[in-house]
């Protein structure tokens, strides 16, 4: 008997799922579900999810650019390129951190990322690629 009951419940559920959406909405309304309130809640949730996704994508892109710029500076320091080193020194002087960097060769990628994180990364990458 339980097996028959489960089959009937499953067929009713599938019937609703494959049925006319207007009929389903009407039934939900009949049971007291406020469709406008539900729609507004769903719209709000969708907007929040879209914002979070865009935010995560932008953060990932920013981190990628930051890492690329820091590695390019590291490479420029190792090669002894004057313009990037001068630009990095300018950023260090402008940076409000109290930390003193006496030897650029000893800067880690994370330290370089900290120095350049509030700058225009695309401009920095273009400068480094041109050099």
């Amino acid at each position: 008997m339980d097996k028959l009951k489960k089959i009937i419940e499953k067929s009713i559920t599938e019937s609703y799922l494959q049925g006319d959406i207007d009929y389903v909405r009407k039934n939900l309304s009949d049971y007291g579900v406020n469709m406008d309130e539900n729609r507004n809640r769903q719209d709000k949730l969708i907007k929040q999810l879209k914002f979070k996704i865009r935010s995560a994508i932008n953060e990932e892109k920013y981190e990628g650019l930051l890492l690329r710029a820091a590695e390019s500076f590291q490479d420029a320091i190792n090669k002894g390129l004057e313009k990037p080193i001068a630009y990095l020194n300018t950023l260090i002087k402008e940076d409000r951190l109290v930390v003193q960097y006496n030897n650029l060769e000893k800067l880690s990628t994370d330290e370089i990322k900290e120095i350049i994180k509030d700058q225009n990364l695309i401009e920095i990458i273009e400068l480094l690629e041109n050099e």
Side-chain angles (χ1 to χ4, degrees), residues 1 3-4 8 31 42 48 51 56 58-59 61 65-66 75 78 80 85 97 105 107-108 125:
M1 192 67 165
K3 187 175 182 181
L4 179 61
I8 292 171
Y31 283 111
Q42 290 169 350
Q48 288 174 345
F51 177 79
N58 287 339
E59 185 176 343
K61 284 180 185 178
L65 286 173
L66 188 59
D75 190 45
N78 293 338
I85 291 173
L97 294 174
E105 289 82 21
L107 283 177
S108 71
I125 291 171

Side-chain angles (χ1 to χ4, degrees), residues 75-89:
D75 190 45
I77 290 169
N78 293 338
K79 290 179 181 178
L81 301 176
E82 289 181 27
K83 283 185 181 180
I85 291 173
Y87 186 73
L88 185 59
N89 279 325

Side-chain angles (χ1 to χ4, degrees), residues 3 8-9 26 30-32 45-46 52 55 57 73 80 85 88 90 104 110-111 122 125:
K3 187 175 182 181
I8 292 171
E9 285 177 358
K26 182 187 175 312
D30 291 345
Y31 283 111
L45 178 64
I46 289 169
K52 287 179 182 181
S55 175
I57 289 170
F73 269 122
I85 291 173
L88 185 59
T90 303
L104 291 179
D110 289 335
E111 290 170 329
I122 295 174
I125 291 171

Side-chain angles (χ1 to χ4, degrees), residues 82-113:
E82 289 181 27
K83 283 185 181 180
I85 291 173
Y87 186 73
L88 185 59
N89 279 325
T90 303
L91 290 177
I92 290 171
K93 289 175 186 172
E94 290 175 359
D95 199 349
R96 295 166 194 231
L97 294 174
V98 185
V99 180
Q100 295 275 336
Y101 295 106
N102 296 327
N103 195 349
L104 291 179
E105 289 82 21
K106 293 182 181 179
L107 283 177
S108 71
T109 304
D110 289 335
E111 290 170 329
I112 294 173
K113 283 167 62 173

Side-chain angles (χ1 to χ4, degrees), residues 37-51:
E37 187 178 305
N38 259 4
R39 191 172 298 115
N40 290 338
R41 245 190 350 256
Q42 290 169 350
D43 290 344
K44 183 178 177 181
L45 178 64
I46 289 169
K47 285 179 185 178
Q48 288 174 345
L49 291 174
K50 283 181 180 180
F51 177 79

Side-chain angles (χ1 to χ4, degrees), residues 4 7 13 19 21-22 25 35 39 58-60 63 74 76 84 86-87 91 108 126 129:
L4 179 61
I7 291 171
T13 302
I21 191 69
D22 291 328
R25 286 184 180 142
M35 298 306 287
R39 191 172 298 115
N58 287 339
E59 185 176 343
E60 191 175 304
E63 285 298 318
Q74 194 84 41
Y87 186 73
L91 290 177
S108 71
E126 287 175 354
E129 286 177 351

